Amino acid sequence: MNAKTADKVATGIFYGIAGTVILILIFLLGYILLAGFPKLTWQFLTTPAKAFSAGGGIGIQLFNSFYLLILAMLISFPIALGAGIYLNEYAQKNWVTTLIRSAIEILSSLPSVVVGLFGFLLFVVRFKMGFSILSGALALTFFNLPLLTRSIEGSLAAIPNLQREAGLALGLSRWETVTHIILPVAVPSILTGVILSAGRVFGEAAALIYTSGQSAPALNFADWNPFNIASPLNPMRPAETLAVHIWKINSEGIMPDASAVSAGSSAVLVLAVLLFNVLARWVGQRVYRHLTAAD
């Protein structure tokens, strides 16, 4: 076999592998969306769940998922951004930074159930926060922080050093160079990492079973005082998320229409992550054009 034929064969194999992966993804997404599409009604998205009778919705669980996502990202993103900037722009290459990066690699590969048990022992038991949204958000911060830090550091490392040298040559300090030149250029890549980590948080179940709880008490959406127990904004209330709800109704087996509710909830999860990706990319492009004054 000559080199030209071998190249064609290798190219065909790679196309075949890529096509197989795409077909598998299309099949999975199509199956989830088609199975859950009949349940995607306004009533299903807004009404509370029912345990022993059919016809319940996922309104409270859906709200809890978004609330927990926002709270977890508000905690983890500033920490990850600061850590990424320090590791890439300020930290010297020595055994300390090597140890930090190794620890980040190890933490990013931890199973989510281990993070959940850690959060249960530390936040729920030790700090006496109980099963609450805040306990879940803090546990997801430990779950999300390593991946987000690696992503931000990689985004900053991808910026050519010529841009840093140009900023310093103009008399800017290192901090001014980072904030006015490096970060605006890295915004699209950073947002991609945020999207990936947000998707992990939104679909996480194992870590939240032990921290945010498996119950969804009724909420008074007319009461937005975060200090009231029935308020949706109260971070100390237990909160069953959508992913935990799917696991719970399939493991308990007491809901008559559990399969239909699971299909609808899974479709909502997929669509929510898809919409979040599209929105985040649109916002990222707008922010990038604003910060870089690009047309």
Side-chain angles (χ1 to χ4, degrees):
M1 184 182 295
N2 55 36
K4 188 174 182 180
T5 304
D7 179 70
K8 290 183 178 179
V9 171
T11 303
I13 292 174
F14 290 139
Y15 274 114
I17 294 173
T20 302
V21 173
I22 293 173
L23 288 176
I24 292 174
L25 291 175
I26 292 175
F27 172 76
L28 290 175
L29 291 176
Y31 178 80
I32 292 172
L33 294 177
L34 289 176
F37 185 76
K39 291 289 292 184
L40 297 183
T41 62
W42 181 252
Q43 180 182 0
F44 178 71
L45 296 176
T46 55
T47 56
K50 296 181 180 179
F52 299 99
S53 59
I58 55 171
I60 296 177
Q61 287 80 5
L62 187 60
F63 176 84
N64 290 338
S65 297
F66 279 106
Y67 186 30
L68 190 61
L69 169 65
I70 294 172
L71 191 59
M73 295 305 296
L74 286 176
I75 297 173
S76 60
F77 178 72
I79 301 174
L81 181 62
I85 292 175
Y86 171 75
L87 288 174
N88 190 75
E89 303 295 334
Y90 291 92
Q92 298 179 355
K93 293 183 178 179
N94 51 35
W95 68 271
V96 176
T97 55
T98 302
L99 181 63
I100 293 174
R101 289 188 174 91
S102 299
I104 291 174
E105 294 286 341
I106 294 172
L107 289 174
S108 63
S109 61
L110 280 178
S112 58
V113 66
V114 175
V115 179
L117 289 172
F118 168 78
F120 171 75
L121 294 174
L122 182 62
F123 303 119
V124 177
V125 178
R126 182 65 178 176
F127 292 160
K128 302 184 185 303
M129 294 182 181
F131 292 105
S132 62
I133 291 180
L134 185 58
S135 297
L138 291 174
L140 287 180
T141 298
F142 284 89
F143 175 73
N144 192 38
L145 200 56
L147 177 65
L148 195 55
T149 301
R150 287 173 54 200
S151 175
I152 293 176
E153 184 186 3
S155 300
L156 297 176
I159 306 301
N161 285 327
L162 285 175
Q163 301 208 31
R164 297 177 177 83
E165 295 171 357
L168 296 175
L170 291 173
L172 299 177
S173 65
R174 180 179 293 185
W175 175 247
E176 290 173 331
T177 301
V178 170
T179 55
H180 291 86
I181 298 177
I182 305 302
L183 278 180
V185 178
V187 162
S189 298
I190 292 175
L191 273 175
T192 300
V194 172
I195 291 168
L196 293 174
S197 60
R200 292 182 75 198
V201 170
F202 193 80
E204 179 55 36
L208 298 177
I209 292 173
Y210 301 101
T211 52
S212 63
Q214 303 175 41
S215 62
L219 301 178
N220 182 12
F221 284 93
D223 183 5
W224 296 99
N225 184 355
F227 297 102
N228 293 340
I229 189 62
S231 172
L233 298 182
N234 188 345
M236 302 309 297
R237 63 177 177 83
E240 179 186 79
T241 62
L242 195 56
V244 174
H245 183 62
I246 296 173
W247 170 85
K248 180 182 176 181
I249 62 177
N250 283 282
S251 60
E252 289 180 340
I254 60 175
M255 185 179 291
D257 57 344
S259 59
V261 174
S262 296
S265 301
S266 300
V268 171
L269 271 177
V270 172
L271 290 175
V273 173
L274 178 61
L275 291 174
F276 181 78
N277 276 263
V278 173
L279 180 62
R281 292 183 185 278
W282 178 79
V283 172
Q285 292 176 356
R286 300 269 302 192
V287 172
Y288 176 76
R289 287 198 295 266
H290 174 73
L291 294 176
T292 59
D295 295 330

